Amino acid sequence: MEMQGCLQDSTLLNFVNDDGNLMAFPQKYNLGPKQKVDDDAPLCPNTQKRISDSFWSRELEDGAEDHLGSPRFCCGSHSKDKRRRIITVVQRQAANVRERKRMFSLNEAFDELRRKVPTFAYEKRLSRIETLRLAIVYISFMTDLLEHT
DNA sequence: TAGGCCATCTGGTCCT
DNA sequence: AGGACCAGATGGCCTA
């Protein structure tokens, strides 16, 4: 793969500096604004939940609060034998919040991994896939180093 | 402007 | 039943 080869050719060769120490990962690659939970998103005045242009949110904005506590089918036709899971607007919003938290913790883990993987200070922030691939190469490199010393 | 990356929403599936 | 996890869809932002 091209990315793999690129990493091996350039970045991997510079994992270790002249002193034999790992290069420090630049601090500028901390979480950017987009990686944090968007606290600027509008809140529903009644539930204080974030709203966006989604099916459920549109219902909220249209004043359909009577659905908040009442179970319903998620979408479209439910005439099929396989019943969809019944979910309320409140449950859907709670699931969205949990998912945001889950993705936030996932990104925290990626950020921690970015700090562990050495790279050039002037390189732009590693993407998630780049971080994973570089970590794989880095681990292989360190493993070889241990086995041959 | 196209493509890459990411945040978020959403529904399905699995697990407790 | 409900939460965790996952993958697809969508839209915004940024860069070449």
Side-chain angles (χ1 to χ4, degrees):
Chain A
M1 181 176 286
E2 186 178 348
M3 168 66 76
Q4 192 92 354
C6 174
L7 293 177
Q8 286 171 339
D9 288 347
S10 59
T11 312
L12 180 59
L13 293 178
N14 294 280
F15 275 160
V16 183
N17 63 17
D18 292 339
D19 299 329
N21 297 321
L22 296 177
M23 297 170 64
F25 197 85
Q27 292 298 314
K28 68 175 182 175
Y29 296 130
N30 285 342
L31 279 177
K34 279 200 68 175
Q35 287 180 282
K36 297 177 178 175
V37 173
D38 185 11
D39 290 328
D40 295 328
L43 297 176
C44 171
N46 296 322
T47 63
Q48 293 301 303
K49 304 283 189 184
R50 288 179 189 80
I51 55 179
S52 61
D53 190 24
S54 64
F55 170 79
W56 298 102
S57 303
R58 279 195 299 274
E59 278 202 333
L60 279 179
E61 288 176 324
D62 290 343
E65 285 94 355
D66 52 311
H67 289 312
L68 285 177
S70 55
R72 52 171 297 162
F73 289 97
C74 297
C75 56
S77 69
H78 51 273
S79 57
K80 293 287 184 181
D81 291 342
K82 189 176 182 180
R83 291 263 177 155
R84 293 180 184 272
R85 183 171 171 176
I86 296 173
I87 187 172
T88 66
V89 173
V90 170
Q91 285 173 323
R92 183 63 261 170
Q93 289 183 327
N96 289 347
V97 170
R98 287 194 304 272
E99 180 66 10
R100 279 201 296 267
K101 287 180 179 178
R102 194 182 72 83
M103 294 306 296
F104 183 77
S105 68
L106 181 68
N107 284 333
E108 280 185 324
F110 266 107
D111 215 46
E112 189 175 346
L113 185 59
R114 280 188 190 98
R115 289 192 292 270
K116 301 291 185 186
V117 177
T119 183
F120 288 122
Y122 56 79
E123 279 185 300
K124 72 178 181 68
R125 177 179 170 276
L126 292 174
S127 69
R128 294 191 287 193
I129 186 65
E130 287 170 340
T131 302
L132 288 178
R133 286 176 172 151
L134 185 54
I136 292 170
V137 174
Y138 178 48
I139 291 170
S140 299
F141 173 77
M142 297 304 285
T143 302
D144 287 345
L145 206 62
L146 283 175
E147 289 175 351
H148 294 95
T149 53

